[in-house]
Amino acid sequence: MIPMVDLKRQYQNLKADIDAAIKNVLENGHFILGPNVAELEKEIAAYHGVPHAVGVASGTDALLLSLRACGIGAGDEVITTPFTFIATADVISLLHATPVFVDIVTDTFNIDPGKIEEKITKKTKAIIPVHLFGHPADMDPICALAAKYNIRVIEDCAQAFGATYKGKKVGARGECGCFSFFPSKNLAGYGDGGMIITGNEEMAKNLRLLRNHGSAVKYHHSALGYNSRLDEIQAAIIRVKMKKIEEFNDRRRVNADIYRRLIKRNDIALPLELPSCRHVYHQFTIRSKNRASIMTALQNENVSSAVYYPVPLHRQEVFTSGNIPAENLTNSEICAEEVLSLPMFPELENEEIEQVSNVINHAP
Ligand SMILES: *Cc1c(COP(=O)(O)O)cnc(C)c1O
C-alpha cells in the first residue's frame, strides 16, 4: 500500500527531538501563549523577512482573523478562486461578506489575474489568492490591481510554506500571509494550528487582540475577539520541524522530478512550475481526461490517489443559495473533472514513485 501521505515516517525520523520538545512543554507547565509560540513566531517572521508573525488556532482562523483585521464585514465583496479548499471562502461568508469567484488558469490551477478586474466593484475590499498545491499565484498583476483599486491582498499560503515567487517567499507580499499547520501540510504539527505573517504593526496588534478575546490586558476587552491561539505543544513540535523545512521541501521537489521523468503518457498533463517560481509540491497533481481509468488502475495496485477538488466552490450547496454568479468559471470546472493528486511527501521512497509511475503508464 502506497499512501498519499505517511506521517508516521517523519515522526520516526524526528522522534527523539519531538518527544523531548513535548516533554519540555509538559514539564514547564506553560500551555497557552507560552515561550514556544513566541519563539516560533519570531522564527517564522525571520524566515519570511517580515517583522510580525501571529500564531493562531488553524489556517482557517488565520484567514478569518486577517479578514476581520482588514475590517471586512457585511456588504463587502472578496475576490477569490473557486478551485480551492472550502476554508478559503467560507470565512468570507462567515463574516457576512460575499465571495466573488474568479476563474483559474489550468496550468498552475491558480486564480487568473486577467479575469480579476472585471469582477471588481465599489464593494470589493480584498483579494485572496491561493498558492494552490504549493505553486505561487501570479502576484505581480494581482498586487498591481489591488494597488490601483485600493484593495487588500490576503494570501492563502496554507499549501505553500517556503514556495517562492520571483525569488521571494510567498506570504510576505500581501497585507497578511496565512499559513496552516494541519498535520499533512508541508510544515505541520500533530493537530490544528496556523500563523499569520504581516509587515504592518497595527495589523499584528489587531490580530493579537482578535486571537485572544479582544484582550491586550487581562480581563479588559477592547474588541469582539475569538479564542484562537496557537497551542504551545503544537508550537514546540512545529519548531522541531521548522529546522528541517528546506530539506522537506527539497525532497518533495526531488520526488516531483522523479515523477516527471518516469510518467510517460501523452494524455496526462504534468504539473507546471513557472520559471519565476519555486513549487513546493504540497500536492503533485496531474490532469487527464482518462482520470477514472487511471484511478481504478492505481486502486487495483494498492496505490492511493485523490481528487483535490471534485466540486468547485461556486457549485457548493453552502454558496449556491446565496446566488453566487457562476458564469465564466469553465477552467475550474474542467480541472475539477480532470485533476488527480498522487502520493507526495518528503519520506516517499524512489521505488514507490517508480511503482506509482509504472501503474499509471500501464493503466488503460
Ligand atoms: C488546509 C487549508 C486551509 C485551512 O487550514 P486549516 O488549518 O485546516 O484550518 C485553508 N486553505 C487551504 C488552501 C488549505 O489547503
Side-chain angles (χ1 to χ4, degrees):
M1 161 76 183
I2 303 178
M4 286 299 288
V5 54
D6 182 353
L7 301 176
K8 293 188 292 276
R9 293 186 200 177
Q10 190 167 89
Y11 174 58
Q12 284 311 321
N13 292 342
L14 302 174
K15 191 174 185 340
D17 287 351
I18 285 174
D19 288 359
I22 294 172
K23 185 161 175 273
N24 189 264
V25 175
L26 300 185
E27 285 174 351
N28 261 338
H30 196 158
F31 297 110
I32 303 294
L33 296 180
N36 282 287
V37 171
E39 286 306 311
L40 181 65
E41 288 176 344
K42 279 188 207 150
E43 288 158 10
I44 286 183
Y47 178 84
H48 290 95
V50 298
H52 311 284
V54 180
V56 294
S58 68
T60 306
D61 276 7
L63 292 162
L64 181 74
L65 269 61
S66 295
L67 288 168
R68 267 286 307 271
C70 287
I72 283 142
D76 296 336
E77 291 176 357
V78 178
I79 288 174
T80 193
T81 160
F83 194 66
T84 177
F85 182 56
I86 184 77
T88 308
D90 65 5
V91 291
I92 301 167
S93 297
L94 279 167
L95 292 173
H96 309 286
T98 305
V100 174
F101 296 117
V102 167
D103 207 10
I104 57 169
V105 288
T106 52
D107 56 0
T108 65
F109 307 112
N110 286 322
I111 194 165
D112 183 346
K115 292 181 179 159
I116 292 176
E117 193 161 20
E118 65 198 63
K119 294 286 178 75
I120 294 176
T121 72
K122 285 200 171 60
K123 295 178 180 172
T124 309
K125 291 287 158 55
I127 304 172
I128 308 182
V130 180
H131 309 298
L132 199 72
F133 303 148
H135 192 290
D138 193 3
M139 293 302 287
D140 276 354
I142 294 171
C143 292
L145 281 171
K148 180 174 169 190
Y149 291 97
N150 195 21
I151 295 168
R152 305 294 182 92
V153 174
I154 295 167
E155 296 180 60
D156 183 341
C157 312
Q159 303 187 358
F161 195 102
T164 66
Y165 175 85
K166 302 196 172 168
K168 297 224 168 75
K169 296 202 178 68
V170 298
R173 186 84 179 268
E175 192 71 34
C176 299
C178 301
F179 294 90
S180 164
F181 303 130
F182 184 84
S184 62
K185 300 287 159 88
N186 290 36
L187 177 66
Y190 291 126
D192 282 307
M195 181 87 60
I196 304 156
I197 62 172
T198 180
N200 181 332
E201 187 172 354
E202 263 319 291
M203 181 70 59
K205 241 181 170 169
N206 210 346
L207 291 167
R208 286 179 196 286
L209 269 187
L210 288 173
R211 76 169 170 186
N212 196 26
H213 302 290
S215 169
V217 180
K218 209 168 187 184
Y219 304 124
H220 294 262
H221 306 273
S222 56
L224 265 184
Y226 306 84
N227 175 349
S228 181
R229 296 161 305 221
L230 175 61
D231 181 81
E232 179 73 5
I233 294 176
Q234 297 305 332
I237 293 165
I238 296 158
R239 287 186 71 204
V240 172
K241 297 195 186 184
M242 180 65 193
K243 295 194 183 87
K244 306 257 176 191
I245 186 62
E246 293 309 306
E247 199 181 302
F248 292 156
N249 280 339
D250 283 342
R251 190 59 223 181
R252 286 174 184 270
R253 290 174 56 77
V254 168
N255 291 346
D257 282 344
I258 301 174
Y259 270 130
R260 277 180 200 293
R261 218 173 46 238
L262 296 181
I263 297 176
K264 289 196 169 66
R265 277 177 73 136
N266 31 25
D267 64 342
I268 286 180
L270 295 169
L272 185 79
E273 179 184 53
L274 290 174
S276 55
C277 295
R278 179 177 187 256
H279 198 324
V280 291
Y281 296 99
H282 175 62
Q283 298 295 342
F284 188 86
T285 303
I286 62 173
R287 269 179 62 208
S288 176
K289 293 205 185 329
N290 300 316
R291 177 175 77 187
S293 56
I294 296 169
M295 266 191 108
T296 307
L298 288 166
Q299 211 166 7
N300 290 341
E301 297 297 324
N302 269 323
V303 176
S304 305
S305 63
V307 175
Y308 306 124
Y309 296 89
V311 184
L313 298 191
H314 61 276
R315 294 210 177 275
Q316 294 289 348
E317 196 180 339
V318 64
F319 293 133
T320 45
S321 56
N323 288 322
I324 283 167
E327 70 264 26
N328 303 325
L329 298 172
T330 45
N331 286 341
S332 306
E333 310 224 313
I334 291 168
C335 287
E337 294 289 321
E338 297 185 352
V339 287
L340 187 64
S341 296
L342 305 179
M344 173 55 85
F345 50 101
E347 299 77 17
L348 190 64
E349 311 238 342
N350 294 6
E351 300 74 49
E352 292 175 307
I353 303 172
E354 283 164 25
Q355 198 185 325
V356 178
S357 305
N358 242 331
V359 177
I360 290 174
N361 290 339
H362 292 101

